[in-house]
Amino acid sequence: MRSPQFSSLIILVVLLVVFAVADANFLSPLNISNMMAFLPELGIIALGMTLLLTAGEFDLSVGAVFGLAPVVVMLLVQNAGVDIGVALLAGLVLCIAIGAINGLIVTKIGISSFLVTLSMLLVVRGAALYITQGFPLKSWDQPGFFVTLLAGSFNVGSFRFYTSLWWFIGLSLFAIYVLRYAKLGNWISAIGSNHNAAVARGVPADAVKIWLFIATSVLAGLAGMISAFRISAASPVAGTGYELEVIAMVVVGGTALTGGRGTILGTIVGALMLRAIRNGIVLIGVPGLAYNIFVGLIILAMLILHALLQKNAASG
Amino acid sequence: MDMLRLQNLQKSFGSVRALKNASLTLREGEVVALLGDNGAGKSTLIKAISGVFPVDRGDIYVRGEKVSIRSTRDAMDLGIETIHQDTSLAPDLSIARNLFLGREPVNFGWLGVFAPLDLAKLRNAASALLKRVGISKKLDADALVSTLSGGERQSIAISRAMQFAAKVIILDEPTNNLGVEETHGVLRFVKEVRDAGHSVLLITHNIHHVFQVADRIVVMRRGEIVAEQTVADTDLLTVESLITGADMSALLKQARAK
């Protein structure tokens, strides 16, 4: 019961109750549908980030990749007349390349992932701005298989959901499986917990980290595509600041920033919590400009709570 | 039978000759203590055996067969397990998961790294092992290693080496930072390991511990092996003078006269 994801869950429930009591619209079908439309986009990135953090690394370039991938895909489709399927494949290859470069520099040259991915953030964001000359692309809303696959919507009663919710659920289940039940998850936790011990037991730590950087980058690109298809537009500044929001979701959920201890369930709770806070705070009438103050304070409170619980567990 | 034989190992780092013609034999079921001051070449020697780096010259034989050790994996596959004080276990993993780290039992092995752990087997094997090494009363296979004391961690690391039928177990300062009682626990455990037929190479600073558990003593100084004696044929002062290289014969005479 002292597990960090459980305390996060309680805080989430409390927040939801507070928002629901403060404003009846919070639980209205329209508002819930809105929250569920945004949730998967950051949530999908947070899944990759959780695995990466558990292995002791993190990635600041995810927000920039979220912006660049759809820009490249849309440019290929709109300006070069490339088939959408081929363009998506090119976007995927691009994300794999970005992740692989991050991973290779971090593991083979031994530079901290903070510095490597901070530089990559600038390179990727700069690339998105340069190839678009800083302007958002023309809106693109031709329906098709891929658009339906990534951003189709469907109604359940008076709720309106997007297929991205299925992606988030499916990827979450897979991530839970990997981290808790698969051999790979044992390796990921061991690498983050004691890198030398893992290597001494023959765990291919570098390869695992490189693949996690690739997975995180690909998930960020996927989330960017989902978002761009949903709003039928790609912007070079999309996803600005997402890297910190995603890391906040992960650590609020109880994953240790120092590696070794990761929880996907906690991350899902964290993603729900940040989404609910962003939404609920506006609904209950906090002025727009004051809103980040509250988000920051709530995150800080969560982290203090985790730290206290950790201390208690250690002494008890 | 010779479990491990090192012949004329040499290793230099730049102009520093860390190992000069080091030769050493470890027999089946014996504990050999490797002693020496800081910089004597002990770490270089065990790193060479455990595959951290290759030697420049010299041969290594395992059970009479000449082998080449190029990685820690090679050493493990040859049955050589090295246990360092703080680098052996992942504190955020359970005892069971640590015991099988890198050699996890899985179902559906064709799934590769995505194969599900065989949790029942993992747990049962871990419990059986904990029972066999006599620490089952206190320890649960599902307990996180971070909740264990230093001595318990050391015992877990040693039992992991035993479990994979390591022929040679190298213990690097196993009693550093341990309390008196825990130290005795670990030393008793070392004897059990030997009685189970494993060979142990024990690196330590504490000469008293050596006399409690070792069968033979090997002393290194400036990259060379300067003495090799059975514990029964020597005493504390002799060993101390061998380590420092100082002439303690006067002291020795005094001591023996008493």
Side-chain angles (χ1 to χ4, degrees):
Chain A
M1 290 303 104
R2 271 174 171 170
S3 65
Q5 64 266 41
F6 188 76
S7 52
S8 304
L9 183 63
I10 291 178
I11 305 283
L12 174 65
V13 170
V14 169
L15 275 173
L16 292 179
V17 168
V18 168
F19 286 137
V21 169
D23 191 321
N25 285 325
F26 183 73
L27 292 181
S28 70
L30 177 67
N31 195 48
I32 289 181
S33 301
N34 267 337
M35 281 196 281
M36 289 298 133
F38 288 118
L39 174 75
E41 290 164 17
L42 282 171
I44 285 172
I45 312 177
L47 298 176
M49 192 72 86
T50 305
L51 298 183
L52 197 53
L53 270 174
T54 308
E57 304 290 348
F58 62 115
D59 186 349
L60 294 176
S61 66
V62 287
V65 172
F66 181 98
L68 180 67
V71 157
V72 167
V73 172
M74 294 273 193
L75 270 181
L76 286 174
V77 172
Q78 292 183 0
N79 294 14
V82 175
D83 175 71
I84 179 74
V86 176
L88 281 170
L89 191 66
L92 178 69
V93 170
L94 177 72
C95 294
I96 292 174
I98 292 170
I101 293 169
N102 279 337
L104 283 168
I105 297 178
V106 168
T107 57
K108 301 302 178 192
I109 305 185
I111 303 173
S112 95
S113 53
F114 179 86
L115 300 171
V116 173
T117 60
L118 180 63
S119 314
M120 188 56 86
L121 181 167
L122 296 171
V123 171
V124 172
R125 181 65 72 195
L129 286 168
Y130 182 71
I131 59 174
T132 58
Q133 293 299 304
F135 292 107
L137 301 182
K138 286 176 293 196
S139 72
W140 189 85
D141 57 355
Q142 292 169 32
F145 171 70
F146 290 109
V147 175
T148 313
L149 185 69
L150 293 175
S153 61
F154 57 95
N155 291 309
V156 179
S158 44
F159 294 91
R160 185 161 190 256
F161 293 124
Y162 286 87
T163 42
S164 56
L165 196 58
W166 292 121
W167 281 90
F168 183 50
I169 293 170
L171 288 166
S172 296
L173 291 175
F174 182 65
I176 288 171
Y177 166 75
V178 166
L179 194 53
R180 281 174 73 164
Y181 302 107
K183 179 155 92 173
L184 180 60
N186 209 38
W187 291 1
I188 291 172
S189 304
I191 292 167
S193 185
N194 187 341
H195 182 266
N196 290 338
V199 172
R201 305 308 300 166
V203 173
D206 287 358
V208 170
K209 283 185 179 180
I210 291 168
W211 281 107
L212 287 178
F213 273 109
I214 291 174
T216 306
S217 206
V218 167
L219 290 174
L222 172 70
M225 284 314 308
I226 286 173
S227 174
F229 278 152
R230 182 173 56 77
I231 60 176
S232 306
S235 160
V237 293
T240 303
Y242 277 17
E243 56 281 345
L244 297 181
E245 180 119 5
V246 164
I247 291 173
M249 287 173 174
V250 176
V251 294
V252 156
T255 293
L257 201 53
T258 45
R261 276 175 287 125
T263 152
I264 296 290
L265 281 175
T267 294
I268 295 168
V269 170
L272 280 167
M273 192 183 305
L274 262 77
R275 181 42 52 203
I277 292 171
R278 286 211 177 278
N279 179 285
I281 275 182
V282 175
L283 274 187
I284 62 174
V286 170
L289 291 177
Y291 143 85
N292 269 340
I293 301 176
F294 284 83
V295 178
L297 287 177
I298 295 174
I299 294 173
L300 210 50
M302 283 302 308
L303 296 179
I304 291 171
L305 184 75
H306 285 320
L308 293 179
L309 287 173
Q310 188 79 29
K311 239 181 189 171
N312 262 338
S315 61
Chain B
M1 175 168 195
D2 291 351
M3 281 285 201
L4 178 71
R5 190 153 61 86
L6 313 175
Q7 206 159 31
N8 301 324
L9 297 191
Q10 297 184 19
K11 177 77 187 176
S12 298
F13 297 101
S15 59
V16 180
R17 294 182 67 195
L19 279 184
K20 311 170 197 165
N21 275 329
S23 300
L24 173 69
T25 302
L26 191 59
R27 297 188 200 96
E28 191 169 3
E30 78 170 345
V31 176
V32 171
L34 184 60
L35 294 169
D37 220 337
N38 288 335
K42 304 185 305 268
S43 324
T44 310
L45 187 68
I46 60 164
K47 279 180 180 161
I49 310 170
S50 55
V52 177
F53 44 63
V55 288
D56 299 335
R57 286 177 141 195
D59 299 316
I60 300 175
Y61 298 84
V62 173
R63 286 191 177 236
E65 264 180 62
K66 193 175 161 185
V67 298
S68 123
I69 300 176
R70 309 193 158 273
S71 68
T72 49
R73 190 86 226 184
D74 281 355
M76 276 160 69
D77 290 344
L78 287 166
I80 301 170
E81 295 264 353
T82 308
I83 297 157
H84 302 282
Q85 174 75 30
D86 286 320
T87 59
S88 291
L89 302 174
D92 298 305
L93 266 56
S94 69
I95 294 175
R97 281 176 176 245
N98 261 291
L99 285 172
F100 289 94
L101 182 56
R103 289 165 175 170
E104 295 85 353
V106 294
N107 295 316
F108 311 108
W110 51 272
L111 287 170
V113 294
F114 294 109
L117 297 173
D118 187 341
L119 292 173
K121 192 172 173 187
L122 192 73
R123 224 192 161 283
N124 292 340
S127 301
L129 184 80
L130 289 176
K131 198 165 284 171
R132 203 179 74 205
V133 298
I135 42 184
S136 68
K137 278 155 271 164
K138 284 183 290 177
L139 298 180
D140 176 9
D142 288 330
L144 295 185
V145 164
S146 59
T147 63
L148 305 181
S149 71
E152 286 166 342
R153 291 184 200 199
Q154 206 56 251
S155 304
I156 298 289
I158 298 171
S159 37
R160 181 172 63 187
M162 287 172 74
Q163 171 198 9
F164 291 108
K167 295 166 188 146
V168 176
I169 299 177
I170 301 171
L171 296 173
D172 187 7
E173 300 282 0
T175 54
N176 257 8
N177 307 324
L178 295 189
V180 176
E181 208 165 306
E182 291 208 318
T183 298
H184 284 299
V186 169
L187 292 179
R188 200 171 55 237
F189 204 49
V190 170
K191 286 183 200 162
E192 283 173 28
V193 170
R194 171 189 57 198
D195 295 344
H198 305 268
S199 307
V200 179
L201 188 59
L202 174 71
I203 290 91
T204 179
H205 273 98
N206 193 317
I207 304 180
H208 297 276
H209 295 168
V210 169
F211 280 87
Q212 284 178 47
V213 294
D215 301 303
R216 282 191 300 135
I217 292 176
V218 170
V219 181
M220 288 189 79
R221 202 162 65 223
R222 293 198 211 96
E224 284 174 295
I225 288 173
V226 293
E228 204 176 328
Q229 300 182 325
T230 56
V231 167
D233 295 339
T234 190
D235 56 61
L236 242 154
L237 277 173
T238 312
V239 173
E240 233 159 45
S241 67
L242 283 168
I243 293 172
T244 56
D247 188 1
M248 287 192 165
S249 50
L251 266 172
L252 275 175
K253 257 178 217 159
Q254 242 179 23
R256 279 179 190 142
K258 276 181 190 171

